[in-house]
Amino acid sequence: MLKIDGLTAHYGAAQALFGVSLDVATGETVALVGANGAGKSTLLKALMGLVKPSGGTILLDGKPVTGRSPARMVRLGLALSPEGREVFGDLSVQENLKLGGIPLRLSRKDEDTRIEEVFARFPKLSERSQQLAGTLSGGEQQMLAMGRALMAKPRLLLLDEPSLGLAPLITDEIFAIIQQLARAGTTILLIEQNAARALSVSDHAYLLANGRIVEHGQSSALLNDPALRAAFLGSASHDSPAASRLGAAGLTNIRLEKPAMQEQDFMPAFQTEDELQAHQLKGLQWTLRHVWEGSSFYRQHLEGAGITPESITSLDDLSKLPFTTADDLRDDYPFPLRSVPFEQIVRIHASSGTTGKRKVLSYTQKDLDDWTDFFARCYQMAGVTPLDRVQIAVGYGVWTAGAGFQLGCEKVGAMAVPVGPGNIDMQIQFLLDFQSTVFCSTASMALLMAEEIHRRGLADKIAVDKIIYGSERSSVSMRKKISELFGGAELFDITGLTELYGPGTGIECSDHDCIHYWGDYYLLEIIDPETLQPLPDGEWGEMVVTTLCKEGSPLIRYRTRDITRILPGRCSCGSILPRHSRIRGRSDDTIKFRGVNIYPSSIDTILSQVPGLGSEYQIHLTRDESSGRDHMRLVVERAEDVAAARGAELIHEAGHQIKKQLLVSAELELVDYGSLPRSERKSQRVFDTRLEDEIVES
Ligand code: ZN
């Protein structure tokens, strides 16, 4: 949208800008960061036509606009919220706002509409509409200056030092509004001295010093660049050209917030696969000795298979070990697999299962510390930093979810908002009031929230840019829907199970095509659930886990029933941590239908490939008494805004794809968007009434 090329500017004989080039694309927030006197304001003034450039060009949408008058620039779609606010103290808030629309010669009606829009964005201004601007607080004056610029409905909003002279809390509020504006699609050029703030809300950034651009790039990369950080912190290394350049340019007075915590690293120390395997073998041998001495259950179990701790001399020996199953845990209720004396156990957690006895797991303090550390690693992989606010909407209590999410969040140094599940009204209130940037929940809950945010038209008023969700499968279309309705938030699927510490044993990386799992804490095998034989990398099967340092309730070849596959090779994200595909289902919830084994997730996948269908569906399986034939009926929602008239076409396409890809026929029924029940926990999707017949038959 905006392209500045080789811009120079002089004040009399003194040169203030030296060939500055800068690009702003539509919809982007670009930060221009620099110390006092670096030339930031001169650049802005040149852009607005307040200072005539002595060289270079300014292009707006490819057309030259260099040296145009300020009024002309406003009509072309630029609006400036100036440094120092420059509100008119003797005029009321409303009168100040009207000034922002003058160059556009708005009709009275348009003017009123725009004022209402500004008031909707800044409720504090609405409350003070008749108050004189001179009596407002600094933060309110800043809001007024921004509101006045918005009166022109700018295509490019220029914000000059919005945080200057404001208290940190007020600065928070102003930056939250900037993020909301960005999410609403406003293109923003943000001029700031506060580098950390500016980098954390922008997509790209330029660092200006002594009238020259000295660094530019993606804001997240700049924020994490050690050399720049060193420079910001004033300990510029003379070995680092970037740092010394910035140091010389006087940028060292800029501070990052919570600098020490920003530097924490929860990734493993090993550099090669060999080092990881050596670590794993040590852990496996330790675990065998630990359970041999600590658990009569495991000792009997191992002896029964002819194994002693000494039998394990390489990782290949893993396949000699007997499996542990959910039944073993239930049989040994209430403290199964316990391998330490009770005085070392500091907590228990249990599965939320409703059938049979619950699976109860014991934790030592070291187990909790390990869990905290690798959960912090999950947050780190998702890019969560101490500047984030994490709203935790998963259950707290005897089942593990909430506790893990919270421990890891606090370890990273982010701010935890421990809400727990449900209570949609309160969740939304907190998203608005606290401007939470990360939302953690089940996929069903995330969808429920997304639809509610959409219904209330709040997508551009919340600040969530990451959603960490787990504990159930999610289809591609469900993920897409959640992200869209949350205003483009990035989704991270987190894995885990109570038996294995809890959630947080792996997470999707920023490349979004795999789950990285923590191979330094547990071993992962994939077996054929029928033959129980290990499967090669890349093949789908049941996930089996063996812990490497768990003290309270270690797991040896525990059958999780989750279906996934190991992905061979390194991830394109560069992490050395091994990876598997997203969980596709459970080996015990495969649908057997007319002799075909179907994972419910394959129906997810097929439906999400048919444009026009929504993300919610139900599978109803029935048996015809007289013929004994099984019958499958799929009830699927139309996507939002898809006309009912397209029903026949959508039914035909979905039916055709099911037949083609699964080799079975299903009857399809389309229902309106939003008509299937949503739940905060796992939504029930499979309704199988054939069960009694099957028990009779077998
Ligand atoms: Zn990756």
Side-chain angles (χ1 to χ4, degrees):
M1 176 187 283
L2 175 71
K3 190 171 181 59
I4 298 178
D5 196 20
L7 201 72
T8 58
H10 289 75
Y11 287 115
Q15 188 164 358
L17 294 177
F18 298 80
V20 169
S21 299
L22 176 153
D23 287 305
V24 182
T26 305
E28 230 185 7
T29 299
V30 172
L32 181 66
V33 178
N36 243 340
K40 303 188 306 289
S41 291
T42 309
L43 180 68
L44 262 192
K45 284 178 184 155
L47 190 53
M48 284 307 294
L50 295 162
V51 165
K52 205 168 168 61
S54 46
T57 53
I58 303 172
L59 299 178
L60 193 64
D61 299 320
K63 297 191 186 79
V65 295
T66 324
R68 294 280 157 85
S69 74
R72 186 72 200 279
M73 292 309 282
V74 172
R75 282 198 293 278
L76 286 170
L78 266 65
L80 171 68
S81 163
E83 181 183 345
R85 345 286 182 219
E86 295 181 15
V87 299
F88 293 88
D90 295 337
L91 298 181
S92 72
V93 165
Q94 188 151 1
E95 287 162 339
N96 267 281
L97 288 179
K98 284 182 183 171
L99 293 176
I102 284 181
L104 300 170
R105 301 183 192 107
L106 297 174
S107 69
R108 171 64 64 85
K109 187 160 156 283
D110 284 350
E111 190 178 70
D112 289 346
T113 316
R114 290 196 183 183
I115 288 178
E116 283 315 307
E117 286 168 3
V118 170
F119 283 160
R121 171 78 57 197
F122 302 96
K124 279 190 181 162
L125 294 184
S126 172
E127 290 161 20
R128 292 165 175 63
S129 67
Q130 299 310 320
Q131 202 170 316
L132 294 184
T135 65
L136 297 177
S137 70
E140 288 158 359
Q141 291 193 0
Q142 179 57 42
M143 291 177 197
L144 181 55
M146 288 163 69
R148 187 178 56 195
L150 289 172
M151 283 294 290
K153 283 217 174 160
R155 296 174 50 230
L156 176 60
L157 176 64
L158 308 170
L159 298 175
D160 194 3
E161 302 284 5
S163 77
L164 198 67
L166 298 182
L169 264 178
I170 311 298
T171 303
D172 282 351
E173 202 174 339
I174 296 296
F175 273 83
I177 293 168
I178 295 172
Q179 276 177 305
Q180 286 169 11
L181 289 170
R183 291 164 65 92
T186 315
T187 311
I188 299 173
L189 179 57
L190 169 66
I191 316 299
E192 257 295 338
Q193 279 192 53
N194 189 331
R197 296 291 189 140
L199 292 176
S200 64
V201 299
S202 57
D203 303 304
H204 287 93
Y206 292 81
L207 306 191
L208 189 70
N210 294 338
R212 294 179 170 86
I213 301 288
V214 289
E215 287 292 334
H216 70 99
Q218 269 196 343
S219 301
S220 55
L222 292 173
L223 192 58
N224 290 313
D225 183 323
L228 293 179
R229 282 223 306 267
F232 292 151
L233 295 169
S235 56
S237 146
H238 294 293
D239 304 335
S240 156
S244 44
R245 230 173 24 245
L246 293 169
L251 274 177
T252 52
N253 59 343
I254 297 167
R255 292 285 183 271
L256 275 182
E257 292 163 48
K258 296 193 193 175
M261 302 190 94
Q262 190 101 31
E263 282 166 20
Q264 283 192 104
D265 184 7
F266 300 98
M267 294 300 164
F270 57 82
Q271 303 289 325
T272 65
E273 274 77 4
D274 285 348
E275 281 177 69
L276 171 61
Q277 284 172 13
H279 170 87
Q280 288 174 329
L281 178 60
K282 256 198 218 155
L284 179 61
Q285 289 170 329
W286 174 86
T287 299
L288 264 286
R289 280 193 309 275
H290 177 69
V291 301
W292 186 265
E293 285 153 20
S295 157
S296 53
F297 162 82
Y298 270 129
R299 191 166 187 144
Q300 281 174 18
H301 205 52
L302 291 171
E303 278 177 343
I307 301 280
T308 65
E310 289 70 39
S311 318
I312 301 300
T313 58
S314 82
L315 285 177
D316 294 335
D317 294 331
L318 182 64
S319 59
K320 295 180 188 163
L321 299 176
F323 291 107
T324 311
T325 65
D327 287 341
D328 293 329
L329 268 76
R330 293 196 188 95
D331 292 349
D332 210 15
Y333 188 85
F335 299 107
L337 316 186
R338 182 176 59 89
S339 304
V340 294
F342 276 110
E343 63 264 31
Q344 290 181 31
I345 295 174
V346 299
R347 193 194 290 177
I348 59 153
H349 278 298
S351 69
S352 56
T354 49
T355 53
K357 290 177 193 153
R358 295 178 191 282
K359 290 170 266 180
V360 184
L361 286 304
S362 309
Y363 296 70
T364 65
Q365 185 58 51
K366 180 182 181 294
D367 293 338
L368 293 181
D369 293 345
D370 286 347
W371 189 21
T372 304
D373 283 346
F374 67 66
F375 214 124
R377 181 188 289 176
C378 291
Y379 283 117
Q380 187 183 345
M381 188 155 263
V384 175
T385 74
L387 296 173
D388 280 300
R389 296 158 179 209
V390 183
Q391 188 159 325
I392 303 168
V394 296
Y396 280 79
V398 79
W399 34 92
T400 50
F405 277 93
Q406 179 149 351
L407 288 172
C409 171
E410 290 164 353
K411 186 80 182 180
V412 165
M415 182 176 101
V417 184
V419 192
N423 214 337
I424 302 287
D425 280 338
M426 188 167 74
Q427 302 282 3
I428 290 184
Q429 192 66 52
F430 285 175
L431 289 184
L432 291 169
D433 294 352
F434 303 152
Q435 290 288 295
S436 310
T437 55
V438 181
F439 186 74
C440 306
S441 72
T442 60
S444 300
M445 171 84 179
L447 180 65
L448 208 64
M449 285 288 290
E451 290 181 328
E452 194 56 25
I453 286 164
H454 177 62
R455 203 179 62 75
R456 301 188 192 184
L458 298 174
D460 63 344
K461 295 196 173 54
I462 59 166
V464 174
D465 59 11
K466 294 185 171 73
I467 295 170
I468 298 178
Y469 73 94
S471 90
E472 63 180 323
R473 283 179 299 106
S474 54
S475 65
V476 176
S477 59
M478 188 172 175
R479 284 169 60 94
K480 221 174 121 222
K481 178 114 219 169
I482 294 170
S483 170
E484 267 172 27
L485 298 187
F486 257 100
E490 194 174 4
L491 264 58
F492 294 90
D493 188 349
I494 195 165
T495 56
L497 65 162
T498 308
E499 299 90 311
L500 183 64
Y501 298 92
T505 53
I507 194 168
E508 176 174 343
C509 69
S510 52
D511 284 10
H512 300 294
D513 54 10
C514 64
I515 305 277
H516 285 275
Y517 71 91
W518 313 147
D520 46 345
Y521 289 91
Y522 63 99
L523 295 171
L524 192 153
E525 297 169 85
I526 302 295
I527 63 160
D528 180 328
E530 306 279 329
T531 67
L532 306 185
Q533 290 307 304
L535 290 170
D537 288 359
E539 283 192 29
W540 292 94
E542 181 180 329
M543 178 166 135
V544 170
V545 293
T546 301
T547 56
L548 298 172
C549 55
K550 200 164 185 265
E551 296 179 337
S553 308
L555 298 178
I556 292 183
R557 298 197 87 197
Y558 180 70
R559 292 188 56 187
T560 66
R561 305 286 169 178
D562 282 335
I563 300 293
T564 185
R565 61 177 173 179
I566 290 177
L567 293 168
R570 285 263 185 114
C571 180
S572 49
C573 77
S575 171
I576 189 178
L577 285 156
R579 59 215 184 98
H580 62 76
S581 285
R582 279 197 199 100
I583 309 292
R584 186 168 160 178
R586 289 178 58 78
S587 60
D588 43 11
D589 67 13
T590 315
I591 300 169
K592 287 197 175 61
F593 181 72
R594 295 192 191 165
V596 180
N597 279 332
I598 301 172
Y599 292 120
S601 61
S602 41
I603 294 187
D604 278 354
T605 310
I606 294 169
L607 295 178
S608 47
Q609 285 160 354
V610 179
L613 293 182
S615 63
E616 290 302 293
Y617 66 93
Q618 292 179 343
I619 305 169
H620 293 267
L621 298 161
T622 51
R623 179 160 295 164
D624 180 1
E625 294 287 339
S626 53
S627 66
R629 269 178 79 82
D630 287 353
H631 185 73
M632 185 192 301
R633 188 165 63 95
L634 296 178
V635 184
V636 189
E637 280 187 8
R638 266 190 304 275
E640 205 176 3
D641 305 327
V642 167
R646 285 189 57 203
E649 164 211 342
L650 290 172
I651 286 176
H652 177 80
E653 176 60 15
H656 172 72
Q657 290 300 335
I658 298 267
K659 176 95 193 166
K660 189 171 125 192
Q661 299 189 39
L662 296 181
L663 310 174
V664 298
S665 297
E667 179 200 334
L668 271 109
E669 182 188 333
L670 275 191
V671 295
D672 287 341
Y673 173 78
S675 59
L676 290 177
R678 265 75 167 154
S679 121
E680 292 152 7
R681 302 210 53 215
K682 303 178 190 186
S683 298
Q684 189 183 359
R685 297 221 164 77
V686 182
F687 299 83
D688 192 346
T689 60
R690 305 169 306 164
L691 208 57
E692 283 173 42
D693 297 351
E694 300 231 304
I695 290 166
V696 173
E697 273 180 12
S698 61

Short mmCIF file of all heavy atoms in Angstrom, two decimals, residues 188-222:
data_model
loop_
_atom_site.label_atom_id
_atom_site.label_comp_id
_atom_site.label_asym_id
_atom_site.label_seq_id
_atom_site.Cartn_x
_atom_site.Cartn_y
_atom_site.Cartn_z
N ILE A 188 -1.62 -0.14 9.78
CA ILE A 188 -1.09 0.80 10.77
C ILE A 188 0.42 0.97 10.61
O ILE A 188 1.16 -0.01 10.45
CB ILE A 188 -1.37 0.28 12.21
CG1 ILE A 188 -2.89 0.17 12.45
CG2 ILE A 188 -0.73 1.19 13.27
CD1 ILE A 188 -3.27 -0.49 13.76
N LEU A 189 0.85 2.22 10.64
CA LEU A 189 2.28 2.50 10.77
C LEU A 189 2.46 3.11 12.16
O LEU A 189 1.92 4.17 12.46
CB LEU A 189 2.76 3.47 9.68
CG LEU A 189 4.25 3.85 9.72
CD1 LEU A 189 5.15 2.63 9.65
CD2 LEU A 189 4.60 4.82 8.60
N LEU A 190 3.20 2.37 13.00
CA LEU A 190 3.32 2.73 14.41
C LEU A 190 4.73 3.24 14.67
O LEU A 190 5.71 2.55 14.40
CB LEU A 190 3.04 1.47 15.24
CG LEU A 190 3.35 1.50 16.73
CD1 LEU A 190 2.44 2.48 17.44
CD2 LEU A 190 3.17 0.10 17.32
N ILE A 191 4.81 4.46 15.19
CA ILE A 191 6.10 5.07 15.47
C ILE A 191 6.30 5.01 16.98
O ILE A 191 5.46 5.52 17.73
CB ILE A 191 6.10 6.56 15.05
CG1 ILE A 191 5.45 6.76 13.68
CG2 ILE A 191 7.50 7.15 15.11
CD1 ILE A 191 6.11 6.06 12.56
N GLU A 192 7.36 4.37 17.46
CA GLU A 192 7.48 4.15 18.90
C GLU A 192 8.92 4.18 19.37
O GLU A 192 9.82 3.74 18.68
CB GLU A 192 6.89 2.79 19.27
CG GLU A 192 5.53 2.82 19.91
CD GLU A 192 5.48 3.49 21.27
OE1 GLU A 192 6.52 3.59 21.98
OE2 GLU A 192 4.38 3.92 21.65
N GLN A 193 9.09 4.68 20.60
CA GLN A 193 10.39 4.52 21.28
C GLN A 193 10.44 3.22 22.04
O GLN A 193 11.50 2.66 22.26
CB GLN A 193 10.57 5.65 22.30
CG GLN A 193 11.04 6.94 21.71
CD GLN A 193 11.48 7.88 22.82
OE1 GLN A 193 12.29 7.52 23.67
NE2 GLN A 193 10.94 9.07 22.81
N ASN A 194 9.26 2.77 22.49
CA ASN A 194 9.19 1.55 23.30
C ASN A 194 9.28 0.33 22.39
O ASN A 194 8.29 -0.17 21.86
CB ASN A 194 7.88 1.55 24.09
CG ASN A 194 7.84 0.43 25.12
OD1 ASN A 194 8.45 -0.62 24.92
ND2 ASN A 194 7.12 0.65 26.20
N ALA A 195 10.52 -0.13 22.19
CA ALA A 195 10.77 -1.17 21.19
C ALA A 195 10.02 -2.46 21.49
O ALA A 195 9.43 -3.06 20.61
CB ALA A 195 12.27 -1.45 21.11
N ALA A 196 10.02 -2.87 22.77
CA ALA A 196 9.40 -4.14 23.11
C ALA A 196 7.92 -4.12 22.77
O ALA A 196 7.39 -5.05 22.17
CB ALA A 196 9.59 -4.44 24.59
N ARG A 197 7.25 -3.05 23.15
CA ARG A 197 5.83 -2.93 22.87
C ARG A 197 5.56 -2.91 21.38
O ARG A 197 4.70 -3.61 20.87
CB ARG A 197 5.28 -1.62 23.46
CG ARG A 197 5.36 -1.53 24.92
CD ARG A 197 4.39 -2.50 25.54
NE ARG A 197 4.32 -2.24 26.96
CZ ARG A 197 3.21 -2.28 27.67
NH1 ARG A 197 2.09 -2.60 27.09
NH2 ARG A 197 3.24 -2.03 28.94
N ALA A 198 6.33 -2.07 20.69
CA ALA A 198 6.09 -1.91 19.26
C ALA A 198 6.33 -3.23 18.52
O ALA A 198 5.56 -3.62 17.66
CB ALA A 198 6.99 -0.81 18.71
N LEU A 199 7.40 -3.93 18.90
CA LEU A 199 7.72 -5.20 18.22
C LEU A 199 6.67 -6.25 18.55
O LEU A 199 6.36 -7.10 17.73
CB LEU A 199 9.11 -5.69 18.61
CG LEU A 199 10.29 -4.84 18.10
CD1 LEU A 199 11.61 -5.37 18.63
CD2 LEU A 199 10.32 -4.80 16.58
N SER A 200 6.11 -6.20 19.76
CA SER A 200 5.18 -7.27 20.12
C SER A 200 3.80 -7.09 19.49
O SER A 200 3.03 -8.03 19.45
CB SER A 200 5.08 -7.43 21.65
OG SER A 200 4.55 -6.26 22.20
N VAL A 201 3.46 -5.91 18.99
CA VAL A 201 2.15 -5.76 18.33
C VAL A 201 2.25 -5.66 16.81
O VAL A 201 1.23 -5.62 16.14
CB VAL A 201 1.35 -4.53 18.83
CG1 VAL A 201 1.06 -4.63 20.31
CG2 VAL A 201 2.06 -3.22 18.49
N SER A 202 3.48 -5.62 16.26
CA SER A 202 3.58 -5.37 14.82
C SER A 202 3.99 -6.62 14.06
O SER A 202 4.47 -7.59 14.64
CB SER A 202 4.61 -4.26 14.58
OG SER A 202 5.86 -4.61 15.14
N ASP A 203 3.77 -6.59 12.74
CA ASP A 203 4.18 -7.71 11.89
C ASP A 203 5.63 -7.53 11.43
O ASP A 203 6.42 -8.45 11.47
CB ASP A 203 3.27 -7.79 10.65
CG ASP A 203 1.81 -7.92 11.04
OD1 ASP A 203 1.51 -8.86 11.78
OD2 ASP A 203 0.99 -7.08 10.64
N HIS A 204 5.94 -6.31 10.98
CA HIS A 204 7.29 -6.00 10.55
C HIS A 204 7.76 -4.75 11.29
O HIS A 204 6.93 -3.98 11.75
CB HIS A 204 7.34 -5.73 9.04
CG HIS A 204 7.20 -6.97 8.23
ND1 HIS A 204 5.98 -7.41 7.77
CD2 HIS A 204 8.11 -7.89 7.85
CE1 HIS A 204 6.16 -8.54 7.13
NE2 HIS A 204 7.44 -8.86 7.15
N ALA A 205 9.07 -4.58 11.33
CA ALA A 205 9.56 -3.39 12.01
C ALA A 205 10.81 -2.87 11.33
O ALA A 205 11.58 -3.62 10.71
CB ALA A 205 9.86 -3.71 13.47
N TYR A 206 10.99 -1.56 11.42
CA TYR A 206 12.19 -0.88 10.94
C TYR A 206 12.79 -0.16 12.13
O TYR A 206 12.06 0.48 12.89
CB TYR A 206 11.83 0.14 9.86
CG TYR A 206 11.32 -0.49 8.58
CD1 TYR A 206 10.00 -0.90 8.47
CD2 TYR A 206 12.17 -0.68 7.49
CE1 TYR A 206 9.53 -1.48 7.30
CE2 TYR A 206 11.71 -1.25 6.32
CZ TYR A 206 10.38 -1.65 6.22
OH TYR A 206 9.94 -2.23 5.06
N LEU A 207 14.09 -0.29 12.30
CA LEU A 207 14.76 0.44 13.37
C LEU A 207 15.50 1.62 12.74
O LEU A 207 16.31 1.45 11.84
CB LEU A 207 15.75 -0.46 14.12
CG LEU A 207 15.21 -1.78 14.68
CD1 LEU A 207 16.24 -2.41 15.61
CD2 LEU A 207 13.89 -1.59 15.41
N LEU A 208 15.17 2.81 13.22
CA LEU A 208 15.71 4.04 12.64
C LEU A 208 16.70 4.66 13.63
O LEU A 208 16.40 4.76 14.81
CB LEU A 208 14.54 5.00 12.38
CG LEU A 208 14.82 6.27 11.59
CD1 LEU A 208 15.10 5.93 10.12
CD2 LEU A 208 13.60 7.21 11.67
N ALA A 209 17.87 5.04 13.14
CA ALA A 209 18.84 5.72 14.00
C ALA A 209 19.55 6.77 13.17
O ALA A 209 19.98 6.49 12.04
CB ALA A 209 19.84 4.72 14.56
N ASN A 210 19.67 7.97 13.70
CA ASN A 210 20.34 9.08 13.01
C ASN A 210 19.87 9.24 11.57
O ASN A 210 20.67 9.43 10.66
CB ASN A 210 21.87 8.89 13.04
CG ASN A 210 22.41 8.98 14.45
OD1 ASN A 210 21.77 9.57 15.33
ND2 ASN A 210 23.57 8.39 14.68
N GLY A 211 18.56 9.11 11.37
CA GLY A 211 18.00 9.36 10.04
C GLY A 211 18.17 8.22 9.06
O GLY A 211 17.89 8.39 7.87
N ARG A 212 18.66 7.05 9.54
CA ARG A 212 18.85 5.91 8.63
C ARG A 212 18.19 4.65 9.20
O ARG A 212 18.15 4.48 10.42
CB ARG A 212 20.35 5.61 8.46
CG ARG A 212 21.12 6.69 7.75
CD ARG A 212 22.60 6.29 7.64
NE ARG A 212 23.33 7.21 6.76
CZ ARG A 212 23.86 8.35 7.17
NH1 ARG A 212 23.78 8.70 8.44
NH2 ARG A 212 24.49 9.13 6.31
N ILE A 213 17.70 3.80 8.29
CA ILE A 213 17.19 2.50 8.74
C ILE A 213 18.39 1.60 9.02
O ILE A 213 19.22 1.37 8.13
CB ILE A 213 16.30 1.84 7.65
CG1 ILE A 213 15.11 2.73 7.27
CG2 ILE A 213 15.85 0.45 8.09
CD1 ILE A 213 14.03 2.84 8.30
N VAL A 214 18.53 1.11 10.26
CA VAL A 214 19.70 0.28 10.58
C VAL A 214 19.36 -1.21 10.64
O VAL A 214 20.24 -2.06 10.54
CB VAL A 214 20.37 0.72 11.90
CG1 VAL A 214 21.07 2.05 11.71
CG2 VAL A 214 19.37 0.79 13.04
N GLU A 215 18.10 -1.54 10.86
CA GLU A 215 17.67 -2.94 10.86
C GLU A 215 16.23 -2.98 10.40
O GLU A 215 15.46 -2.07 10.70
CB GLU A 215 17.69 -3.56 12.28
CG GLU A 215 19.05 -3.85 12.85
CD GLU A 215 19.81 -4.98 12.14
OE1 GLU A 215 19.15 -5.88 11.54
OE2 GLU A 215 21.04 -4.93 12.17
N HIS A 216 15.86 -4.04 9.70
CA HIS A 216 14.43 -4.25 9.50
C HIS A 216 14.17 -5.73 9.31
O HIS A 216 15.07 -6.51 9.01
CB HIS A 216 13.89 -3.41 8.33
CG HIS A 216 14.34 -3.87 6.99
ND1 HIS A 216 13.59 -4.65 6.17
CD2 HIS A 216 15.52 -3.67 6.36
CE1 HIS A 216 14.26 -4.90 5.07
NE2 HIS A 216 15.44 -4.33 5.16
N GLY A 217 12.95 -6.15 9.56
CA GLY A 217 12.61 -7.56 9.43
C GLY A 217 11.32 -7.85 10.15
O GLY A 217 10.60 -6.93 10.58
N GLN A 218 11.04 -9.15 10.29
CA GLN A 218 9.84 -9.57 11.01
C GLN A 218 9.99 -9.19 12.48
O GLN A 218 11.02 -9.46 13.09
CB GLN A 218 9.70 -11.09 10.93
CG GLN A 218 8.88 -11.54 9.76
CD GLN A 218 8.45 -12.97 9.94
OE1 GLN A 218 9.00 -13.70 10.75
NE2 GLN A 218 7.46 -13.36 9.17
N SER A 219 8.94 -8.63 13.05
CA SER A 219 9.04 -8.15 14.42
C SER A 219 9.38 -9.26 15.40
O SER A 219 10.19 -9.08 16.31
CB SER A 219 7.72 -7.50 14.83
OG SER A 219 7.44 -6.44 13.96
N SER A 220 8.77 -10.45 15.20
CA SER A 220 9.02 -11.54 16.14
C SER A 220 10.50 -11.93 16.11
O SER A 220 11.10 -12.24 17.13
CB SER A 220 8.13 -12.73 15.84
OG SER A 220 8.30 -13.12 14.50
N ALA A 221 11.09 -11.91 14.90
CA ALA A 221 12.51 -12.28 14.78
C ALA A 221 13.39 -11.23 15.44
O ALA A 221 14.35 -11.54 16.15
CB ALA A 221 12.88 -12.45 13.30
N LEU A 222 13.05 -9.97 15.23
CA LEU A 222 13.83 -8.89 15.84
C LEU A 222 13.74 -8.95 17.36
O LEU A 222 14.73 -8.77 18.06
CB LEU A 222 13.34 -7.52 15.35
CG LEU A 222 13.59 -7.21 13.87
CD1 LEU A 222 12.91 -5.91 13.47
CD2 LEU A 222 15.09 -7.11 13.59
#
